[in-house]
């Protein structure tokens, strides 16, 4: 058996079974340990899980109706319809939806999806970290004991991967919060870090790695993409001179990311500009200051200044000490980053000032930054551990990997026991009202409206309803004996993209005072009204941009490879 592994020389070399099989076994054991609860015939359903399970169920329903592209979840909110997919990317959720469509129970499809995500996370973290460390030329700082048969980069990458997979916040997202978007983000965060080293540390590096990582983040979780984008912006500012030297690579990566993500971003912007929604009017999540982890009572600004000065002094001392001890020089910076990110999750960080900066409020919860901590902490632990283990017999290295795997197993099972009261059987179906905090509802929408009759209501005039039917995102109404002036309110939540037709002729459509679809009909005694959600011109253009860009990159890459 021969397997390609990238070494720090950036050349492809072959590894024999002696090193390949231990690597595969270690990664599979780590995945199996953290995913052990996914093999049960039940699942603890709490927090965001009903919302994401409802998304998967709605995608399945749309696929059954032939709606392949993301559209309104017509079966959601008692058939009122919910536009979650236009605000929250669901491209990757097609995987469990297809599994459910193939006949699997929804919970079983979700469990399989979690296992697949964890496998992908392990593979992504290992290979991305391996290449990142190769780009940083970290092997020159370590001398290994001859009993080690992995390279320096491989051993560090394995340790970082095991810590990353078993990191408590990742497992909490899986088994307590059900934060599927953040769980998916763990797959692409290491790729973004690798891509940054390709841009800043490698001459003529591959900027496409950064593009792929950012694109994966965007189609997983928009808020994580926002946080990572802020970090990259800060990095560009701090390393401005080097950023200017690499401006063309950065520009190409930014432009390609923008073009490839146009299929989601442009329709998102179109919806955001079309109406007022709960997320920007009702403030369903509270402020960042309220959501920060409370370490102490609201600290005085002078106390914060003292804490930061002490932290900076400690970091500087660590830097000098590590340099004296001939540690890997970036360890101090990684330690500083990890500590600072941890502080940002708490009320020791001045969120009352930061939350007034545009877009920052969309982070919603400061403790989401633990996602970034998971990566930096895993890298830090791997580097620190390997500093003590590199010269020792390999037995000690494999002992640490065993401890990391066992910790993932124990943590995941403890989390399941904590929420055991929320266990549901494999046949569980999420309630049709599972919409999280309803942040994508129109601001005018009153939840009491869901109790109204599931048929059109005349606001002005009268009519006789001969037949009314709703299938997915299509509504049919056949009426007679209508007044000359007729205004109808339909049990359908209003979003831009709905179009109405009376006897195949376009009707003006508007939003009622209750945030529902409203039609005004003039001088039509009878007729057939059809309302359906259709993809706008902007959305079609967005898809063309993304697909054309993807095809162009593929053919250019293929042409270059053929020529070489």
């Amino acid at each position: 058996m021969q397997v390609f592994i990238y070494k720090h020389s950036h050349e492809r070399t072959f590894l024999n079974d002696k090193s390949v099989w231990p690597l595969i076994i270690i990664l599979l054991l780590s995945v199996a340990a953290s995913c052990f609860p996914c093999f049960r015939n039940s699942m603890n359903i709490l927090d965001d899980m009903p919302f994401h399970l409802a998304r998967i169920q709605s995608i399945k329903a749309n696929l059954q109706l032939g709606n392949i592209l993301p559209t309104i979840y017509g079966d959601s909110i008692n058939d009122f319809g919910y536009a979650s997919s236009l605000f929250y990317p669901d491209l990757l959720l097609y995987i469990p939806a297809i599994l459910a469509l193939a006949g699997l129970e929804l919970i079983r499809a979700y469990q399989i999806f979690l296992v697949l995500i964890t496998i992908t996370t392990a593979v992504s973290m290992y290979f991305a970290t391996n290449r990142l460390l190769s780009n940083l030329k970290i092997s020159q700082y370590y001398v290994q004991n001859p009993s080690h048969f992995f390279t320096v980069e491989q051993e560090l990458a394995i340790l970082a991967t095991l810590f990353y997979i078993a990191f408590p916040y990742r497992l909490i997202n899986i088994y307590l919060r059900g934060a599927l978007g953040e769980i998916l983000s763990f797959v692409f965060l290491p790729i973004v870090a690798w891509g940054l080293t390709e841009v800043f540390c490698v001459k003529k590096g591959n900027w496409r790695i950064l593009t792929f990582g950012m694109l994966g983040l965007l189609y997983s979780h928009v808020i994580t993409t926002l946080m990572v984008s802020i970090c990259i912006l800060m990095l560009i500012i701090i390393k401005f001179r080097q950023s200017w030297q690499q401006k063309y690579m950065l520009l190409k990566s930014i432009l390609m990311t923008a073009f490839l993500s146009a299929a989601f971003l442009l329709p998102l912007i179109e919806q955001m500009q079309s109406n007022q929604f709960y997320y920007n009017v009702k403030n369903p999540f509270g402020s960042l200051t309220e959501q920060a982890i409370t370490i102490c009572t609201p600290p005085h600004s002078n106390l914060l200044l003292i804490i930061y000065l002490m932290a900076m002094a400690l970091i500087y001392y660590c830097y000098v000490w590590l340099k004296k001890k001939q540690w890997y020089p970036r360890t101090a910076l990684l330690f500083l980053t990890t500590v600072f990110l941890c502080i940002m999750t708490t009320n020791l960080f001045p969120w009352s000032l930061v939350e007034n900066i545009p877009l920052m409020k969309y982070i919603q919860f400061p403790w989401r930054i633990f996602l970034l901590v998971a990566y930096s902490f895993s890298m830090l632990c791997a580097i620190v551990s390997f500093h003590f283990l590199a010269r020792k017999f390999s037995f000690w290295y494999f002992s640490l990997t065993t401890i990391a795997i066992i910790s993932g197993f124990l943590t995941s099972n403890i989390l399941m026991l904590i929420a055991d009261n929320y266990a549901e059987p494999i046949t569980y179906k999420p309630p049709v009202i599972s919409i999280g905090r309803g942040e994508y509802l129109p601001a005018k929408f009153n939840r009491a409206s869901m109790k109204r009759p599931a048929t059109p209501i005349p606001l002005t005039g009268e009519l006789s309803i001969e037949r009314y039917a709703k299938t997915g995102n299509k509504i049919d109404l056949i009426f007679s004996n209508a007044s000359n002036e007729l205004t109808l309110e339909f049990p359908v939540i209003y979003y831009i993209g709905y179009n109405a037709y009376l006897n195949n002729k376009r009707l003006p459509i508007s939003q009622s005072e209750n945030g529902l679809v409203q039609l005004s009909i003039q001088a039509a005694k009878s007729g057939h009204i059809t309302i359906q959600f259709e993809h706008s011109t902007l959305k079609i253009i967005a898809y063309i941009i993304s697909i054309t860009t993807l095809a162009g990159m593929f053919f250019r890459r293929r042409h270059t490879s053929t020529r070489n």
Side-chain angles (χ1 to χ4, degrees):
M1 175 182 176
Q2 292 178 320
V3 179
F4 282 113
I5 297 291
Y6 281 94
K7 303 278 282 198
H8 69 271
S9 61
H10 294 283
E11 295 177 357
R12 281 182 176 180
T13 59
F14 289 105
L15 285 181
N16 56 33
D17 290 343
K18 181 181 177 182
S19 55
V20 170
W21 284 111
L23 170 62
I24 295 174
I25 291 170
I26 289 170
L27 295 182
L28 286 178
L29 284 175
S30 176
V31 169
S34 63
C35 290
F36 188 77
C38 291
F39 299 102
R40 305 194 320 178
N41 286 325
S42 63
M43 192 77 182
N44 295 346
I45 308 298
L46 67 164
D47 208 348
D48 278 351
M49 289 187 199
F51 169 58
H52 292 298
L53 289 170
R55 293 173 66 202
I56 296 169
Q57 185 170 263
S58 293
I59 294 171
K60 172 191 171 184
N62 277 335
L63 289 174
Q64 288 173 326
L65 295 171
N67 298 322
I68 298 175
L69 297 179
T71 182
I72 302 289
Y73 295 156
D75 63 332
S76 186
I77 317 184
N78 292 329
D79 285 341
F80 276 66
Y82 191 48
S84 176
S85 65
L86 303 180
F87 295 87
Y88 201 137
D90 60 4
L91 178 64
L92 297 175
L93 268 63
Y94 277 68
I95 297 171
I98 291 172
L99 291 175
L101 192 63
L104 291 177
E105 294 286 355
L106 182 62
I107 293 294
R108 184 65 75 200
Y110 180 71
Q111 290 174 326
I112 292 173
F113 188 46
L114 290 177
V115 174
L116 292 175
I117 292 173
T118 305
I119 292 172
T120 310
T121 302
V123 172
S124 167
M125 182 65 177
Y126 172 75
F127 282 102
T129 304
N130 195 335
R131 290 305 306 273
L132 177 146
L133 296 172
S134 297
N135 292 342
L136 296 176
K137 297 179 172 56
I138 199 171
S139 60
Q140 62 184 311
Y141 297 95
Y142 296 97
V143 177
Q144 287 176 290
N145 186 291
S147 63
H148 293 240
F149 51 80
F150 288 126
T151 65
V152 171
E153 293 90 348
Q154 288 170 342
E155 293 203 338
L156 280 166
I158 290 171
L159 284 176
T161 301
L162 297 183
F163 293 139
Y164 193 62
I165 292 297
F167 194 78
Y169 182 70
R170 196 188 80 87
L171 297 177
I172 287 171
N173 278 340
I174 293 176
Y175 298 115
L176 292 187
R177 293 187 60 223
L180 193 52
E182 291 185 46
I183 297 168
L184 286 165
S185 297
F186 275 90
V187 176
F188 299 99
L189 193 57
I191 299 174
V192 173
W194 169 23
L196 288 171
T197 63
E198 288 286 333
V199 172
F200 288 102
C201 303
V202 178
K203 187 177 181 180
K204 295 183 179 179
N206 189 353
W207 56 266
R208 296 176 185 83
I209 303 298
L210 181 57
T211 296
F212 177 71
M214 290 301 295
L215 198 65
L217 275 184
L218 180 67
Y219 281 102
S220 299
H221 196 231
V222 177
I223 296 173
T224 301
T225 309
L226 173 62
M227 294 192 300
V228 172
S229 298
I230 292 170
C231 293
I232 294 175
L233 179 61
M234 292 176 64
L235 177 65
I236 291 173
I237 294 172
I238 294 170
K239 300 175 72 71
F240 178 76
R241 181 176 296 180
Q242 193 174 354
S243 300
W244 182 255
Q245 293 172 349
Q246 306 293 341
K247 58 183 179 293
Y248 293 116
M249 289 180 66
L250 284 169
L251 184 61
K252 284 190 286 188
S253 181
I254 292 170
L255 288 177
M256 289 301 104
T257 302
F259 290 153
L260 290 169
S261 60
F264 171 73
L265 285 179
L266 291 183
L268 169 65
I269 294 171
E270 181 183 35
Q271 287 293 333
M272 291 175 67
Q273 296 298 317
S274 68
N275 205 350
Q276 291 290 308
F277 298 92
Y278 269 49
Y279 69 84
N280 54 13
V281 174
K282 305 289 185 179
N283 194 20
F285 300 100
S287 66
L288 291 171
T289 304
E290 295 169 344
Q291 295 293 343
I293 298 173
T294 302
I295 299 296
C296 59
T297 55
H300 192 272
S301 57
N302 291 335
L303 177 60
L304 283 178
L305 180 60
I306 293 172
I307 292 173
Y308 289 142
L309 289 175
M310 290 176 63
M312 290 174 65
L314 175 63
I315 296 302
Y316 180 73
Y317 172 79
C318 291
Y319 172 76
V320 173
W321 185 82
L322 290 170
K323 189 174 182 181
K324 183 179 179 180
K325 295 292 184 179
Q326 296 183 333
W327 280 59
Y328 177 56
R330 288 187 174 90
T331 306
L333 178 61
L334 192 57
F335 177 65
L336 167 64
T337 303
T338 304
V339 171
F340 182 71
L341 289 173
C342 286
I343 290 174
M344 288 186 70
T345 65
T346 72
N347 65 339
L348 295 179
F349 187 77
W351 285 110
S352 57
L353 299 176
V354 175
E355 65 188 358
N356 295 319
I357 300 174
L359 299 179
M360 290 300 292
K361 68 176 183 179
Y362 295 120
I363 293 176
Q364 298 172 350
F365 311 114
W367 37 262
R368 272 201 167 113
I369 296 171
F370 274 124
L371 193 150
L372 306 180
V373 174
Y375 180 77
S376 64
F377 181 82
S378 299
M379 295 294 292
L380 179 63
C381 284
I383 291 172
V384 171
S385 301
F386 192 68
H387 179 82
F388 295 103
L389 295 175
R391 295 176 183 270
K392 295 185 180 296
F393 193 68
S394 60
F395 166 80
W396 298 105
Y397 176 82
F398 284 108
S399 296
L400 181 60
T401 61
T402 303
I403 292 171
I405 292 171
I406 292 173
S407 68
F409 173 80
L410 293 176
T411 305
S412 59
N413 281 276
I414 289 170
L415 292 173
M416 289 297 288
L417 287 174
I418 289 173
D420 198 48
N421 291 337
Y422 296 90
E424 296 287 350
I426 206 76
T427 54
Y428 169 84
K429 301 291 183 185
V432 291
I433 195 62
S434 300
I435 55 172
R437 302 198 187 186
E439 56 266 39
Y440 311 128
L441 290 170
K444 287 184 176 182
F445 181 73
N446 187 343
R447 297 195 184 207
S449 299
M450 292 184 290
K451 298 179 181 179
R452 51 152 284 168
T455 55
I457 294 176
L459 301 180
T460 61
E462 296 178 350
L463 81 163
S464 298
I465 296 178
E466 303 294 335
R467 186 175 74 88
Y468 176 77
K470 184 177 187 293
T471 306
N473 297 323
K474 185 177 180 182
I475 301 97
D476 287 293
L477 169 66
I478 297 176
F479 67 95
S480 61
N481 302 321
S483 304
N484 287 332
E485 298 283 339
L486 181 63
T487 303
L488 293 176
E489 182 185 67
F490 286 77
V492 177
I493 298 174
Y494 175 83
Y495 293 101
I496 187 172
Y498 275 113
N499 291 315
Y501 303 88
L502 173 60
N503 300 328
N504 296 323
K505 292 183 180 179
R506 191 77 168 265
L507 269 179
I509 193 168
S510 61
Q511 180 179 202
S512 73
E513 291 300 317
N514 296 316
L516 302 177
V517 168
Q518 178 176 295
L519 296 182
S520 295
I521 304 168
Q522 305 290 331
K525 291 293 183 181
S526 62
H528 180 192
I529 294 176
T530 302
I531 302 173
Q532 57 188 14
F533 187 85
E534 299 173 341
H535 300 293
S536 66
T537 303
L538 180 62
K539 191 171 185 179
I540 294 171
I541 292 173
Y543 275 102
I544 292 173
I545 291 172
S546 293
I547 294 172
T548 303
T549 303
L550 182 63
M553 290 181 67
F554 174 77
F555 285 115
R556 181 177 175 82
R557 182 75 173 173
R558 186 174 180 181
H559 174 72
T560 303
S561 300
T562 304
R563 186 177 59 186
N564 290 339

